Amino acid sequence: SSDVCSSDLGNAADVIIDLGQLDGLFASDDDATLAAGAAPGQLTFFSNDTPSGFESVSFNNPSSSLSILLGGGDDSLTIANFATGLGTSLFVDGESGYDTIIVAENAVVSSRSIAGADHRNDQSVGDSENLEFLAEIIDVKSGAQLLAHAIPGGGTSPAAGDVMFEAIDSPSFGSPLFVDITNTTASISVDGATIKGDDITLISTTS
């Protein structure tokens, strides 16, 4: 297994997880999960592959942004939890290959800044940030909540963030030796989920 982050993540405001670091001449197909960490105020990112494709990473909730880059290959990311309460943006890019982003059943994925624990109903204490997912397949399961809205209170008027899903399938140039022209499907599936934000955009195209 290999590291996907080389910097100290102890108290980083902006965290980048790059699975492209695992890719050599031939891109790897990775299956990963983002979830709440074992300790309060932490997140964990781990491999679902056997044997593990990379070492798991646990880190304090970033205060500004979390970016996950899946690199080459046909990758899958399951988001089981992302709710820092700090107004943290989340950007996931499948990059090359045929990639899938899954928001798990009943997952709370929130970019809101709140003082309490109810990401859907608590008043905002700061601006919400954006949630942005780019992959060929985006699948939001039943009961999931994607929350980037703002609820004013205490005389403040915090800004809401945007939610964008973009599923685009086009020929992949992930390997210098091969061009993938077989996959021509892009889809966004939202099953009984809640999505709240300023601008909510869902785009699905093939070429």
Side-chain angles (χ1 to χ4, degrees):
S1 61
S2 301
D3 292 329
V4 294
C5 294
S6 57
S7 59
D8 179 8
L9 300 180
N11 292 290
D14 300 287
V15 171
I16 299 174
I17 296 175
D18 184 5
L19 292 184
Q21 296 183 33
L22 306 177
D23 297 331
L25 179 61
F26 298 99
S28 61
D29 298 336
D30 301 303
D31 183 1
T33 292
L34 174 69
Q42 288 191 336
L43 293 166
T44 184
F45 184 83
F46 58 89
S47 173
N48 299 312
D49 294 318
T50 304
S52 177
F54 55 87
E55 295 180 7
S56 63
V57 180
S58 294
F59 51 96
N60 292 337
N61 290 336
S63 59
S64 181
S65 69
L66 172 61
S67 299
I68 300 175
L69 312 177
L70 299 182
D74 299 340
D75 304 310
S76 178
L77 172 67
T78 298
I79 303 173
N81 178 275
F82 177 80
T84 70
L86 302 176
T88 307
S89 66
L90 176 61
F91 173 72
V92 180
D93 187 352
E95 298 191 302
S96 60
Y98 192 75
D99 304 303
T100 301
I101 298 172
I102 299 167
V103 181
E105 285 189 18
N106 302 314
V108 176
V109 180
S110 171
S111 63
R112 298 192 62 216
S113 176
I114 59 174
D118 186 343
H119 284 262
R120 182 166 180 168
N121 299 308
D122 278 355
Q123 290 182 349
S124 299
V125 297
D127 293 341
S128 300
E129 295 298 331
N130 299 332
L131 302 171
E132 185 175 0
F133 302 160
L134 287 73
E136 283 72 19
I137 302 295
I138 300 173
D139 185 8
V140 182
K141 300 295 188 181
S142 175
Q145 300 182 69
L146 293 105
L147 307 174
H149 61 296
I151 300 176
T156 64
S157 299
D162 299 331
V163 179
M164 188 178 84
F165 298 163
E166 188 171 0
I168 298 178
D169 187 27
S170 57
S172 170
F173 297 86
S175 164
L177 302 179
F178 301 99
V179 177
D180 173 13
I181 59 174
T182 59
N183 291 316
T184 57
T185 301
S187 71
I188 299 172
S189 174
V190 179
D191 178 16
T194 298
I195 304 175
K196 298 172 71 71
D198 186 10
D199 291 330
I200 298 174
T201 305
L202 284 69
I203 301 171
S204 179
T205 61
T206 59
S207 60

